[in-house]
Amino acid sequence: MTSVWPLLPVVPAGRMADAEQPVLDLPGGLELRPWQPEDAESLLAASLDPDIRQWNLFSVGTVEEARARIGRMHERWRAEQGAIWAISRPGEAAIGLIGWNEIDLQGGSAEILYWVLPAARGGGVVVAATERLSRWALDELGLHRLRLRHSVANPASCRVAEKAGYTLEGTLRSSLLHADGWHDMHLHALLQGEL
């Protein structure tokens, strides 16, 4: 006789919803903090930046749309579906975004996404934020597997993945539709115990 054991979740439901989204320190006086309505101008600026638009599939056209999107970020935290932080200096406007999409507490996985405004590029901010947020997801939240996908035409994201310790696992052919057509995507991953 075969018995089927119920599969226990990797991370118990409520781990996020029952807690406030934390503020996490970064090097250089930066922090990761929840987005606030006053960050709407930064979100709108990102939506208008051609490089961010090229690699990130989001757009907002007005400050009101940006505020509504920020509200959805908080709803997704409470629903344990997403966890999005602003990259900023304490008390200042957001200069970037980083967070987890497709959070699966039952299966113990999530996919990271990020961007920074032009003035914040090139100084290692995204690598530091990716490393810190990966430690949070693995060590504090308790996830098992983290994914990072990027277009093969975006070598900057490939460097971020490598520097943050994510292993290249392969290429997903023609897997994401960008404004300029279908892109092959590199798939990188980081597992529990690899940091």
Side-chain angles (χ1 to χ4, degrees):
M1 182 168 153
T2 304
S3 63
V4 178
W5 293 91
L7 185 63
L8 296 175
V10 174
V11 177
R15 174 83 50 95
M16 291 171 57
D18 294 343
E20 293 295 318
Q21 186 175 353
V23 175
L24 307 171
D25 291 332
L26 290 178
L30 294 171
E31 67 181 10
L32 302 177
R33 60 161 174 79
W35 280 78
Q36 301 301 323
E38 54 269 20
D39 292 314
E41 293 284 348
S42 294
L43 195 58
L44 180 58
S47 181
L48 299 175
D49 179 78
D51 290 327
I52 293 172
R53 288 179 70 103
Q54 173 66 32
W55 306 122
N56 295 270
L57 304 179
F58 87 96
S59 66
V60 293
T62 65
V63 171
E64 293 75 27
E65 287 178 15
R67 284 192 187 109
R69 189 172 190 96
I70 291 167
R72 286 193 301 278
M73 291 176 192
H74 293 274
E75 291 169 9
R76 293 188 74 225
W77 173 273
R78 289 187 296 275
E80 302 184 319
Q81 298 171 337
I84 308 297
W85 279 262
I87 304 170
S88 72
R89 295 198 177 283
E92 294 184 12
I95 60 169
L97 173 148
I98 190 164
W100 299 108
N101 206 9
E102 299 178 15
I103 292 177
D104 175 8
L105 296 181
Q106 177 78 26
S109 69
E111 182 169 341
I112 198 164
L113 55 105
Y114 51 76
W115 53 256
V116 289
L117 292 170
R121 293 180 190 148
V125 171
V126 175
V127 172
T130 299
E131 290 171 339
R132 178 64 185 99
L133 206 52
S134 297
R135 280 193 305 277
W136 176 85
L138 295 171
D139 299 341
E140 297 173 43
L141 183 58
L143 296 178
H144 174 73
R145 178 180 167 84
L146 307 177
R147 297 180 311 278
L148 188 161
R149 289 184 308 146
H150 65 83
S151 169
V152 298
N154 184 353
S157 273
C158 207
R159 287 190 300 273
V160 167
E162 291 168 355
K163 289 179 180 180
Y166 282 68
T167 300
L168 177 62
E169 294 187 334
T171 301
L172 306 170
R173 297 178 306 132
S174 193
S175 75
L176 192 61
L177 181 60
H178 285 271
D180 62 348
W182 288 97
H183 281 239
D184 291 352
M185 303 292 283
H186 275 166
L187 172 64
H188 301 258
L190 183 67
L191 304 179
Q192 182 69 250
E194 291 183 340
L195 269 181

